[in-house]
Amino acid sequence: MHNDGRPAWTPPRVRLIFLVFLLMLVANAFDAWATIGIVAQGATELNPIMRWALKHGPVAFIAMKTCLIGSLTLFLAVASRTHRLAWRGLYVLTALYMLIFVWHVLLVIYGESLTIDIPS
């Protein structure tokens, strides 16, 4: 216990960190694949950095996405065993990617009838 009465933090097991890391890799790969397909059908990439990468072709897009998200995920996964903030970051990043996964699935299923307006 800490001096203020809070219980000490117990770090996640290596297996859990590894599984969350793998989930992020799969989610990132699905996001890249779905984004390329959906943009090819006329959608717009919402992330300005990834939009820029898409203008340079799918290989540049996948390379940039893999390097950025892969390195961030690896850093968080390695640090998660000893740093609570890194574990929370990995957990939140994975949750966000799961929301993006659901969004892509909805776009694939409902297509043009599912839209959002982005102010200019």
Side-chain angles (χ1 to χ4, degrees):
M1 281 213 154
H2 293 285
N3 291 338
D4 61 2
R6 293 180 300 145
W9 178 63
T10 303
R13 293 180 181 230
V14 173
R15 282 184 291 192
L16 179 59
I17 295 170
F18 183 71
L19 287 173
V20 173
F21 175 74
L22 285 179
L23 181 60
M24 270 303 300
L25 292 181
V26 170
N28 188 46
F30 176 78
D31 179 39
W33 173 79
T35 298
I36 290 170
I38 292 167
V39 168
Q41 295 175 1
T44 302
E45 168 61 53
L46 299 178
N47 181 333
I49 297 169
M50 292 297 109
R51 189 178 327 128
W52 176 85
L54 266 173
K55 289 180 182 177
H56 293 83
V59 172
F61 173 74
I62 291 171
M64 181 174 234
K65 187 165 189 41
T66 302
C67 287
L68 288 175
I69 297 301
S71 59
L72 174 61
T73 303
L74 181 60
F75 170 78
L76 291 173
V78 169
S80 286
R81 190 72 179 125
T82 55
H83 295 86
R84 183 187 317 203
L85 186 58
W87 171 243
R88 288 182 179 166
L90 183 61
Y91 188 82
V92 168
L93 185 63
T94 304
L96 288 172
Y97 261 81
M98 292 301 97
L99 290 173
I100 292 169
F101 176 88
V102 169
W103 175 251
H104 282 306
V105 170
L106 290 173
L107 284 174
V108 168
I109 293 171
Y110 295 107
E112 294 179 14
S113 64
L114 186 65
T115 61
I116 64 170
D117 293 325
I118 303 170
S120 304

